[in-house]
Amino acid sequence: MINKQFVKTKMPALFNFVKQQPFLFRVAKSFDRRLRARAYAKLNSDKKGYSQGDIEYLLNQAKAQGLFDYGWYSANQCRVFSCEQEAFEDYLTKGAFSCVNPSSAFDTELYYKCNTDIYLQGEQALVHYIRHGKAEGRMSPPATPKWHPKAIATTADGEATQHKIAMCFHVFYGEFIDYYCKALEKFPQSVDVFVSVSSDDLVEKAQQQFAACTKVNQVKVKVVPNHGRNFGPMLVEFAQELQTYDLFCHMHSKKSLYSGRAQTQWADYLGEYLLNDQHVIKQVLNHFRDSPKTGIYYPTSFWMMPNWVNHWLKNKPHAQKMAKEWGIELTEDFLAYPAGGMFWARPDALKQLLNKNHQYDDFPAEPLPNDGSELHALERMLGLLAEKNGYQQLFYYPTTGQFTHDDSFILAQYVNTQEGIRNQLSGFDHISFDVFDTLVRRRYFVPDYAKLLLGKSLVAQGLVNDAHEFVLQRNKAEFEVRKAKSFVGDVNIFETYTLLGSQLGWSESQSSQFADQEFAYDLAMIEPKDEMVDIFNELLLKGKRITVASDTYYTLDQVSLMLAKVGASVGYELLVSSDLGKRKDSGTLWPHIKDGLTKGKTFIHVGDNAVADAQIPGDFGLQNMHILNPLDKWHAAGWKNPFVGDLSLNEKQILKWGPLVSDFGRFPFLGE
């Protein structure tokens, strides 16, 4: 292939002459680009469903509209392409499932999120915009960086470092065998393959196709029961052998079956950056060589997942046994983990997990819930286990083509402004708000501080002996009332104090008085989440239908007083669990809200609890906006929880740190 470098080095006189003639120089450069594009097209006949004519048309249209920039794309992918067409084809492929952008003028992720029908149809974002979206008036926002990783240097030069590598595949859908084999043919070194399959029908296909792959040394195939999802087979069948390798890669066939078609983008995303993209894989292998303390690698969480994908959600209780066994303290609610359960690892980084003799009965049986099981917890424990063993986690961020040890991507989706929140909510007809840490906050942050203050008052009156013991007894009484109701519905504060009073020998009027006093202490500490209250009132003035919903033992009137104190007083519907007997966190309130929606009107709920205010309403098909509570935001800034363990109700700690946490978390997003 003749190119500029060849002419420059082999025929310097001709090169200098042409360079001095502007017209000829432009012609030469154009000729050079065409030659490279044609050579690339000839060597790369796989067009991912696009004809050569399609590619040329789309490239020309994208360039003419300022939507593809060869230099910009190359720089933002941190790689050198052989020609402009190769770079454009790279984007065509990755832009269907990844958060890469073709230029500063087009944001792939935002186009999908503003046009979810395009995503669900599996159409490539830029291709759709060029062919249909622009004419339809679809929004095409410029590329807006959400996260700037603290990048580390990696190398893709030369040959990839050779390791003893095991590829561990769990295959439920047979077409993934074709995908894995095709990717392995490009892999920079030979590997051993361990495959678990869901049926006898897949054994022969797996054995033949992997054995025929030139990069596979040996293959081992096992038929496994539908038990333990992808982790069960890996740990029961292959864990001991995996420990004899330098590195292993764990992958499984994955589809999301909804919207009338198989959604493969998440699997494509993980497959691309764990196995298929050899530019990325070469850097991964070299980094494992250069950094012996890197223990586990995976790309940052799939960008079309909810903001709260990196949250423990319902899974922390299921992780307690593993955490105790491995000596890991579970503190923060957000964490980095390989969402989707696919990753590269050094066996030593996960040695406690791999060393254990696993049986299928160790794992929960099907059917499993969408979330909240030992397997969902195990997925979240992998990064923590590697770190416990002294290793770092390595991440790849496709948007900038960079590798990093920086795990702050887990909260990158929570960058927003008051104007951004207002714009997002203004498009809905009916908006629902949570109360605590959404519209109101507590001056000292800790909810039980009001109970402690009441306990101190009762100690001074000689009615109890210890304020902290009183808080424990008061909370136990509430639990006993719930238990007496078989945990159906909810309780109010007066029911709790009636039982507590009978235990402590108080009169009925005393019990009621002390219930009021606890509320009074709490009310005195209530302050507004200023920006959220402003937005709340602006939406009311615009004529939006507003609902306020709270899981609380306070009564309807008590919650109304708290809201009035922060400036939210009229014009909304208030739903309180102690009054209705229905809760958000149990899922009983959402059908009630859903049944009350006006047909044809759009709805969204806003709240800070990732489960009760986001995950569960989402399960009911209700759109939601999850915001950060003050402690989440405190963690995001890199500060530790000052109220852990014995410090949870330490008054000196509360008075010192409570106002700082509360003030810092007043605005419930990052980037204000």
Side-chain angles (χ1 to χ4, degrees):
M1 178 169 57
I2 299 173
N3 59 29
K4 182 174 69 177
Q5 187 61 31
F6 175 84
V7 174
K8 183 176 181 180
T9 55
K10 301 299 183 182
M11 292 177 281
L14 175 61
F15 177 79
N16 289 330
F17 170 75
V18 171
K19 188 176 180 181
Q20 291 168 11
Q21 313 301 315
F23 172 74
L24 290 177
F25 191 57
R26 287 196 300 271
V27 170
K29 287 178 68 178
S30 176
F31 182 63
D32 177 47
R33 285 196 297 268
R34 290 198 299 272
L35 277 176
R36 283 186 286 160
R38 288 172 186 170
Y40 171 78
K42 185 176 181 181
L43 292 170
N44 297 272
S45 58
D46 180 7
K47 304 301 179 187
K48 310 294 183 184
Y50 300 100
S51 69
Q52 182 63 29
D54 287 336
I55 293 170
E56 291 177 359
Y57 168 78
L58 291 168
L59 175 56
N60 289 332
Q61 286 294 312
K63 289 169 60 180
Q65 297 177 38
L67 299 175
F68 181 73
D69 184 325
Y70 176 30
W72 188 95
Y73 184 73
S74 301
N76 277 267
Q77 287 300 293
C78 300
R79 64 188 297 179
V80 177
F81 295 94
S82 65
C83 62
E84 185 177 53
Q85 183 174 319
E86 183 190 14
F88 186 66
E89 286 192 41
D90 187 75
Y91 172 71
L92 279 184
T93 299
K94 293 176 180 173
F97 55 75
S98 189
C99 47
V100 297
N101 298 315
S103 70
S104 62
F106 188 87
D107 194 306
T108 303
E109 177 179 347
L110 287 179
Y111 190 76
Y112 280 128
K113 288 185 174 178
C114 292
N115 305 284
T116 53
D117 58 318
I118 306 307
Y119 173 80
L120 295 176
Q121 291 165 21
E123 297 189 51
Q124 211 277 1
L126 182 63
V127 173
H128 179 272
Y129 181 72
I130 290 172
R131 288 178 169 169
H132 310 290
K134 185 176 182 180
E136 294 170 0
R138 303 253 189 175
M139 180 182 291
S140 59
T144 306
K146 294 185 176 65
W147 184 56
H148 300 279
K150 299 172 184 175
I152 59 175
T154 56
T155 177
D157 297 333
E159 297 297 322
T161 305
Q162 297 291 300
H163 300 271
K164 185 182 179 184
I165 292 177
M167 308 300 303
C168 187
F169 300 129
H170 177 59
V171 178
F172 189 85
Y173 301 104
E175 61 266 32
F176 277 81
I177 295 174
D178 305 317
Y179 177 85
Y180 296 146
C181 287
K182 185 176 180 180
L184 285 177
E185 285 292 356
K186 301 182 295 182
F187 203 75
Q189 70 158 83
S190 59
V191 299
D192 293 339
V193 173
F194 298 85
V195 191
S196 55
V197 295
S198 58
S199 67
D200 292 326
D201 296 340
L202 292 175
V203 173
E204 185 177 358
K205 178 175 182 176
Q207 189 71 51
Q208 288 183 352
Q209 291 192 214
F210 282 114
C213 182
T214 58
K215 295 298 179 67
V216 174
N217 293 324
Q218 57 181 333
V219 58
K220 185 174 184 178
V221 183
K222 288 266 191 175
V223 179
V224 298
N226 185 24
H227 201 131
R229 296 283 173 96
N230 57 299
F231 286 116
M234 180 187 79
L235 295 173
V236 174
E237 307 292 349
F238 306 130
Q240 298 307 310
E241 291 171 279
L242 292 179
Q243 294 179 77
T244 66
Y245 290 83
D246 300 327
L247 301 171
F248 74 93
C249 176
H250 174 62
M251 300 187 70
H252 62 98
S253 60
K254 184 176 184 61
K255 291 183 183 179
S256 300
L257 301 173
Y258 61 91
S259 78
R261 67 177 294 275
Q263 300 294 316
T264 63
Q265 293 98 322
W266 189 4
D268 291 337
Y269 175 82
L270 294 173
E272 184 72 11
Y273 300 117
L274 287 167
L275 185 63
N276 193 54
D277 187 327
Q278 298 311 300
H279 176 76
V280 170
I281 297 304
K282 188 182 290 187
Q283 292 176 85
V284 170
L285 297 180
N286 289 340
H287 183 78
F288 271 114
R289 171 202 65 198
D290 297 336
S291 178
K293 298 313 292 181
T294 292
I296 188 169
Y297 156 73
Y298 49 92
T300 53
S301 300
F302 184 51
W303 48 279
M304 278 297 282
M305 293 293 284
N307 295 353
W308 34 268
V309 61
N310 285 98
H311 195 281
W312 271 105
L313 301 174
K314 302 174 184 177
N315 300 294
K316 193 177 281 189
H318 298 286
Q320 294 298 336
K321 182 179 178 181
M322 286 178 279
K324 184 177 180 180
E325 182 180 333
W326 298 338
I328 297 174
E329 186 177 3
L330 306 181
T331 53
E332 300 180 9
D333 286 331
F334 284 89
L335 75 165
Y337 71 97
M342 304 188 215
F343 55 91
W344 280 84
R346 296 187 196 272
D348 191 58
L350 305 178
K351 58 187 177 183
Q352 296 92 327
L353 178 65
L354 297 174
N355 278 336
K356 187 174 180 179
N357 184 24
H358 293 274
Q359 307 296 326
Y360 284 108
D361 287 343
D362 296 336
F363 304 99
E366 299 288 346
L368 287 179
N370 290 334
D371 188 59
S373 75
E374 288 86 348
L375 290 169
H376 293 100
L378 173 57
E379 186 177 69
R380 285 165 169 78
M381 289 294 293
L382 295 174
L384 296 178
L385 179 57
E387 292 174 355
K388 169 68 178 179
N389 289 329
Y391 291 94
Q392 289 181 298
Q393 299 193 67
L394 177 69
F395 316 107
Y396 178 72
Y397 185 47
T399 304
T400 61
Q402 294 172 311
F403 287 87
T404 183
H405 295 301
D406 178 7
D407 67 359
S408 61
F409 69 86
I410 63 177
L411 289 164
Q413 299 287 2
Y414 290 93
V415 175
N416 210 336
T417 62
Q418 184 176 7
E419 182 181 6
I421 303 167
R422 183 186 297 111
N423 290 340
Q424 287 174 260
L425 297 181
S426 293
F428 291 88
D429 304 305
H430 184 175
I431 303 97
S432 168
F433 289 86
D434 171 50
V435 176
F436 296 100
D437 290 322
T438 298
L439 294 173
V440 310
R441 60 190 173 104
R442 291 178 168 96
R443 179 62 182 156
Y444 298 100
F445 180 69
V446 178
D448 276 359
Y449 187 43
K451 302 168 189 174
L452 183 65
L453 292 176
L454 175 58
K456 291 176 67 176
S457 173
L458 295 176
V459 168
Q461 297 174 55
L463 295 174
V464 299
N465 295 322
D466 183 272
H468 285 85
E469 286 297 323
F470 167 76
V471 175
L472 293 175
Q473 193 168 1
R474 180 257 182 249
N475 289 342
K476 183 180 178 182
E478 181 182 324
F479 175 80
E480 290 173 355
V481 175
R482 294 184 187 280
K483 185 177 179 181
K485 293 184 174 184
S486 300
F487 301 100
V488 175
D490 209 345
V491 306
N492 67 48
I493 192 171
F494 293 102
E495 292 173 314
T496 295
Y497 273 85
T498 295
L499 177 59
L500 184 62
S502 69
Q503 295 170 344
L504 296 175
W506 296 341
S507 67
E508 188 175 329
S509 62
Q510 280 181 306
S511 298
S512 180
Q513 173 192 340
F514 296 144
D516 282 329
Q517 192 172 344
E518 179 188 319
F519 169 71
Y521 279 122
D522 215 354
L523 179 63
M525 293 185 285
I526 290 296
E527 295 182 348
K529 301 278 290 246
D530 297 304
E531 290 85 353
M532 296 304 294
V533 172
D534 287 346
I535 291 170
F536 175 90
N537 286 322
E538 289 170 13
L539 293 170
L540 277 173
L541 290 173
K542 287 182 177 180
K544 304 290 186 180
R545 179 181 171 188
I546 304 295
T547 296
V548 177
S550 181
D551 287 348
T552 181
Y553 44 76
Y554 287 136
T555 66
L556 189 77
D557 290 340
Q558 288 172 330
V559 175
S560 295
L561 283 173
M562 287 180 162
L563 291 169
K565 183 182 178 185
V566 301
S569 55
V570 295
Y572 61 87
E573 173 191 24
L574 179 58
L575 304 177
V576 173
S577 61
S578 63
D579 174 63
L580 281 174
K582 302 176 188 295
R583 292 181 61 91
K584 293 181 295 179
D585 60 8
S586 68
T588 53
L589 182 61
W590 298 112
H592 175 83
I593 289 177
K594 196 169 182 178
D595 289 344
L597 298 181
T598 304
K599 188 175 181 180
K601 299 295 184 180
T602 54
F603 171 87
I604 190 170
H605 175 73
V606 184
D608 71 293
N609 188 295
V611 175
D613 292 311
Q615 185 182 36
I616 296 178
D619 290 342
F620 282 94
L622 297 173
Q623 192 155 345
N624 55 82
M625 175 191 286
H626 181 243
I627 64 176
L628 296 175
N629 68 45
L631 198 54
D632 288 336
K633 189 174 178 181
W634 185 262
H635 285 152
W639 298 317
K640 293 185 178 180
N641 184 350
F643 308 117
V644 173
D646 294 339
L647 299 176
S648 62
L649 206 55
N650 180 295
E651 188 168 23
K652 288 184 178 179
Q653 196 80 350
I654 291 170
L655 294 174
K656 177 181 179 180
W657 293 105
L660 295 174
V661 173
S662 181
D663 289 343
F664 186 72
R666 183 208 74 252
F667 181 74
F669 282 93
L670 306 171
E672 59 180 315

